[in-house]
């Protein structure tokens, strides 16, 4: 995986983690309107970044379109990536 | 249902192959306070939670623990993968090698296989949420001891991330417990 892709992947991981943190918080604070607004804004940013990443590097999850040949099995898998 | 995302939750970094550390770390894969136990515990307890907040948090934390299981697997895989047989024997993993080569298996650091006896599902939401809070503290402590055992800054960065997650999970379970207790109190009076 080249530097550029790894950089974008890490950015995506960080943003998705932010969304998860808000998600867990909202489970036990469902009426915190400010947190909910922030959550919705991060979700939107994540959707944009994920679209960009997948258009460039292929599907991250199922129900995504694929170029030929079937891209889902493209290497590297997450445990094979050198993140250092 | 569940859907796989072809990415890790956090970069699983390893500075160098280290079989000894793999032997210690595998307890977070298949040990009593590890990620498999955490995930299975929460995902099986959620069916008897009385409030939507508790159902939600057990589902979501149970799912996040699967992401942690994958991070631990990646770390063990990287620590073990390029190890020589000499290193494996020196680290006391000769018996593990005989059964599994360098493959991942659900055991604790002493080779004891994972068992459902590590977890409980009591049907009593107050009892279960207390168990979950204790489980998070035990997992946090395990990560602290693992960080003490490791001198690899890359590995420690990943372990510190996982340790912090246990602290957040403890907090969320505490909030869920309070909500459940309030709910049970109102049910008593009306
Ligand atoms: Fe946890």
């Amino acid at each position: 995986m080249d530097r550029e892709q790894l950089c974008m992947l890490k950015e995506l991981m960080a943003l998705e983690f932010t969304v998860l943190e808000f998600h867990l918080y909202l489970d036990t604070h469902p009426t915190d309107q400010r947190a909910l607004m922030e959550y919705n804004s991060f979700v939107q940013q994540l959707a944009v970044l994920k679209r960009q990443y997948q258009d460039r590097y292929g599907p991250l999850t199922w129900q995504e379109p694929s170029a030929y040949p079937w891209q889902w099995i493209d290497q590297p898998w997450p445990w094979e990536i050198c993140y250092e | 249902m569940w859907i796989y995302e072809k990415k890790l939750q956090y970069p699983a970094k390893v500075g160098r192959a280290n079989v000894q550390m793999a032997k210690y770390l595998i307890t977070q894969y298949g040990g009593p306070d590890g990620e498999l136990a955490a995930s299975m515990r929460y995902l099986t307890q959620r069916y008897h939670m009385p409030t939507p907040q508790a159902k939600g948090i057990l589902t979501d934390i149970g799912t996040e623990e699967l992401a942690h299981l994958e991070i631990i697997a990646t770390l063990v895989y990287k620590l073990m993968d390029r190890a020589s047989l000499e290193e494996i024997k020196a680290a006391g993993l000769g018996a593990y090698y005989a059964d599994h080569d360098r493959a991942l298996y659900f055991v604790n650091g002493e080779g004891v296989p994972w068992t459902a006896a590590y977890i409980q599902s009591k049907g009593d939401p107050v009892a279960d949420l207390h168990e979950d809070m204790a489980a998070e503290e035990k997992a946090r402590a395990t990560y602290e001891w693992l960080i003490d055992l490791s001198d690899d800054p890359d590995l420690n960065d990943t372990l510190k991330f996982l340790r912090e997650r246990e602290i957040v999970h403890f907090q969320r379970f505490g909030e869920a417990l309070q909500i459940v207790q309030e709910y049970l109190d109102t049910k008593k009076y009306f």
Side-chain angles (χ1 to χ4, degrees):
Chain A
M1 178 173 292
D2 64 40
R3 284 284 126 190
E4 209 179 320
Q5 182 178 358
L6 185 62
C7 194
M8 197 172 180
L9 177 62
K10 282 185 176 173
E11 203 187 322
L12 187 67
M13 287 160 110
L15 189 54
E16 192 168 297
F17 176 69
T18 307
V19 169
L20 172 74
E21 267 289 65
F22 274 95
H23 185 120
L24 295 186
Y25 172 85
L26 284 161
D27 281 352
T28 53
H29 304 80
T31 56
D32 185 334
Q33 243 174 336
R34 241 192 73 191
L36 186 60
M37 270 169 54
E38 283 193 73
Y39 168 81
N40 282 333
S41 141
F42 281 121
V43 163
Q44 239 167 23
Q45 291 174 47
L46 178 63
V48 171
L49 188 62
K50 229 179 202 172
R51 187 70 275 135
Q52 285 173 351
Y53 183 90
Q54 294 185 116
D55 286 347
R56 225 177 277 180
Y57 301 114
L60 281 169
T61 187
W62 77 330
Q63 298 175 348
E64 287 293 330
S66 172
Y68 178 87
W70 182 235
Q71 279 181 298
W72 174 250
I73 58 171
D74 283 354
Q75 315 230 49
W77 285 78
W79 59 90
E80 297 164 340
I81 296 168
C82 185
Y83 297 96
E84 294 84 31
Chain B
M1 73 171 291
W2 274 266
I3 293 173
Y4 184 66
E5 264 196 70
K6 201 174 167 185
K7 57 185 266 304
L8 295 184
Q9 187 193 18
Y10 187 82
K13 288 180 284 188
V14 162
R16 60 187 168 87
N18 182 342
V19 190
Q20 188 62 60
M21 208 51 222
K23 181 175 156 67
Y24 300 143
L25 191 56
I26 205 161
T27 197
Q28 285 305 74
Y29 197 60
D33 306 316
E35 302 292 355
L36 179 67
S39 179
M40 295 302 107
R41 176 187 296 112
Y42 309 147
L43 292 179
T44 206
Q45 286 178 353
R46 67 191 177 132
Y47 300 95
H48 285 90
M49 287 294 147
T51 70
Q53 294 91 338
K55 289 172 202 172
I57 204 71
L58 281 168
T59 300
D60 295 332
I61 295 180
T63 300
E64 187 184 350
E65 307 293 12
L66 286 177
H68 297 171
L69 189 67
E70 189 183 30
I71 292 174
I72 295 294
T74 301
L75 292 172
V76 173
Y77 168 77
K78 288 183 172 188
L79 288 167
M80 285 277 277
D81 194 42
R82 284 174 294 265
S84 70
L85 257 183
E86 281 317 306
E87 290 170 307
I88 287 174
K89 280 196 274 185
L93 278 172
Y96 185 93
Y97 178 85
D99 281 335
H100 311 291
D101 192 332
R102 293 168 183 80
L104 275 287
Y105 189 61
F106 295 110
V107 291
N108 75 357
E110 284 155 336
V112 180
W114 190 83
T115 163
Y118 288 152
I119 68 174
Q120 177 58 297
S121 184
K122 200 67 198 167
D124 179 305
V126 173
D128 280 350
L129 285 166
H130 274 100
E131 176 185 335
D132 302 342
M133 291 171 73
E136 292 297 332
E137 286 299 307
K138 287 186 275 185
R140 178 198 48 77
T142 307
Y143 281 118
E144 303 219 346
W145 310 154
L146 286 167
I147 291 163
D148 288 348
L149 286 164
S150 159
D151 57 4
D152 178 339
D154 283 325
L155 178 62
N156 283 348
D157 173 75
T158 311
L159 295 179
K160 281 176 190 163
F161 169 81
L162 293 168
R163 180 188 63 187
E164 295 311 301
R165 296 312 295 152
E166 312 307 2
I167 295 167
V168 172
H169 293 172
F170 175 83
Q171 170 76 21
R172 298 281 98 90
F173 282 139
E175 292 157 0
L177 175 63
Q178 201 186 335
I179 293 166
V180 163
Q181 261 163 341
E182 280 162 17
Y183 168 80
L184 294 175
D185 284 346
T186 58
K187 250 183 50 178
K188 246 180 253 165
Y189 297 121
F190 298 106

